[in-house]
Amino acid sequence: MAAKLSGGGGGRHVEQNSEINVTPFVDIMLVLLIIFMVAAPLATVSVEVKLPTAVAPPQVNPPKPVFISIQNDGDVFLGDFRSSPEALGDDLREQIRTRNPEEERIYIRADQQTRYGDFMQVMNALQDNGFYSVALVGEDNSTK
């Protein structure tokens, strides 16, 4: 912040100057502009090549993953919606619609305190309904 001393008699009166000095900002912007103007031609390829047309078919987006969550008290959730081991097969078929259950990967997230019996009920329900590709989700230890 700058200050302005007013001239005159014996006493000095200090007044604040509230104007913003934009000169350093403009200087930096001009330097960056020059740098980008010099670097832009270097980033382009100057060798002329006639490229062939691509013949690869466009890739389809992978389907949305299906997550089953098992809480420590045995409650089962399919995505964000409550389900049960008995209704899990029907709920999964409704969610994947026309996709093949045998090729669908199901991700299971279970609480650390989940009973093994509750986990096996979910696994058996998946297997009984033709869902054989199962992945278990754990927390990455390197983020702690």
Side-chain angles (χ1 to χ4, degrees):
M1 181 166 283
K4 184 165 96 176
L5 296 176
S6 59
R12 292 187 175 213
H13 179 60
V14 177
E15 221 180 279
Q16 287 188 356
N17 184 3
S18 61
E19 295 176 11
I20 297 174
N21 188 0
V22 295
T23 305
F25 177 72
V26 172
D27 289 345
I28 291 172
M29 288 296 122
L30 288 174
V31 168
L32 287 174
L33 178 66
I34 292 169
I35 289 172
F36 288 130
M37 287 173 57
V38 170
L42 299 176
T44 60
V45 179
S46 61
V47 177
E48 191 173 325
V49 175
K50 186 174 180 180
L51 296 174
T53 57
V55 293
Q59 297 292 322
V60 294
N61 291 337
K64 183 179 176 186
V66 178
F67 286 96
I68 296 176
S69 302
I70 308 170
Q71 290 183 329
N72 61 353
D73 57 0
D75 289 342
V76 177
F77 289 85
L78 180 59
D80 293 334
F81 304 102
R82 185 180 296 272
S83 186
S84 67
E86 297 79 25
L88 196 56
D90 295 331
D91 292 344
L92 274 169
R93 278 187 180 43
E94 182 180 322
Q95 185 168 357
I96 67 166
R97 301 182 194 266
T98 59
R99 299 190 307 244
N100 184 1
E102 292 182 6
E103 295 175 1
E104 192 69 30
R105 175 164 293 186
I106 309 297
Y107 296 91
I108 298 180
R109 303 170 58 235
D111 191 86
Q112 289 181 1
Q113 304 300 319
T114 301
R115 290 183 36 233
Y116 185 70
D118 295 334
F119 178 78
M120 285 308 298
Q121 278 184 333
V122 171
M123 290 292 290
N124 290 335
L126 290 173
Q127 196 171 30
D128 292 344
N129 288 286
F131 295 94
Y132 299 115
S133 181
V134 175
L136 303 178
V137 179
E139 188 170 336
D140 188 10
N141 209 13
S142 64
T143 59
K144 287 185 177 180

